[in-house]
Each structure stands twice: as C-alpha cells, then as structure tokens.
Amino acid sequence: MNSNRRLLDGEAQSAKQICSNLPENNVKPKNGLKSLSPRQMEIAKLVAEGWSDKEVGRRLNLTDGTVGWHLKIIFSRLRIHSRTMLAGKYRLDFEKELNAPPPHEREGGQTGKKG
C-alpha cells in the first residue's frame, strides 16, 4: 500500500517515514567512474595522465571548449573540482570498481606522453 493511500485511510506517518519511501531517497547517487559515459572516461583518463585540454582535444578530435564542457560534467558527476582530484579519483576508483590498476600503470602500459 502506498504512503498516500495510508494517509487517506487515516494511518499516521511521520515525514521521515514518508520521505524514506520516496524512490529518489532509495537510490544511491552515482559518483564513481561507472557514472561516466565512454567519451567522458576517455577524457578523464587522458586528463588523469596529465594531458592539457588542448592535447586531449587533438587526440580525440574535439575542440578545447568541448573538452572543458565534458570536464565540467565529469567534475560534477564525480563530485570533485580539480584536475588533481580527477587524477586521484581516477586511480582509486579504477582500482576499486574495476579491480585493476589504470591501463597506463599496467605492465607494459604507456601513457603516450614523450618523456
């Protein structure tokens, strides 16, 4: 029986009980790498590796502005506010969620940057 029907039938409930039954309160927010689209994952990976917006754009055939726009969404979804935080979150979440080190840290992996 839903909360509204119970209220109409005279059953008293506290606001806390009613709110706890709302679907949006029972859904855990996504704020890990799995919340990102494949394109956002590509961008997050490159930024976490230290590439600039311009370099990311060149590699993915995007404008600097498009990369920046994607980064705003990535930062929002991951609840972070800097590229440094993105690098840390990428590394930690990749290991936690996918049970493996990021691709650029695997044996034989390369970042693509010239050292």
Side-chain angles (χ1 to χ4, degrees):
M1 191 186 260
N2 71 33
S3 298
N4 291 338
R5 171 55 51 207
R6 281 185 257 173
L7 285 174
L8 289 173
D9 289 342
E11 185 180 321
Q13 287 188 313
S14 71
K16 186 176 181 180
Q17 288 172 313
I18 294 169
C19 288
S20 70
N21 292 325
L22 295 174
E24 61 269 16
N25 291 326
N26 294 321
V27 175
K28 293 188 177 168
K30 288 182 173 180
N31 64 346
L33 294 177
K34 290 179 181 177
S35 70
L36 302 179
S37 71
R39 178 59 107 186
Q40 291 164 348
M41 275 293 289
E42 287 179 295
I43 292 169
K45 175 186 177 289
L46 294 172
V47 170
E49 290 175 356
W51 296 89
S52 70
D53 288 5
K54 187 171 276 199
E55 292 168 323
V56 170
R58 260 190 250 128
R59 290 196 67 177
L60 300 179
N61 199 26
L62 301 171
T63 67
D64 303 3
T66 300
V67 173
W69 178 77
H70 277 295
L71 281 173
K72 284 182 184 181
I73 294 169
I74 292 167
F75 287 2
S76 175
R77 287 194 180 166
L78 299 181
R79 298 183 181 163
I80 58 175
H81 54 81
S82 73
R83 298 169 83 87
T84 303
M85 290 177 78
L86 175 58
K89 182 109 175 124
Y90 179 83
R91 178 175 168 64
L92 291 174
D93 279 6
F94 205 103
E95 289 176 352
K96 183 172 86 178
E97 291 181 13
L98 306 176
N99 241 357
H104 64 279
E105 291 184 5
R106 293 185 194 147
E107 191 172 317
Q110 296 181 0
T111 63
K113 286 189 108 171
K114 295 180 179 175

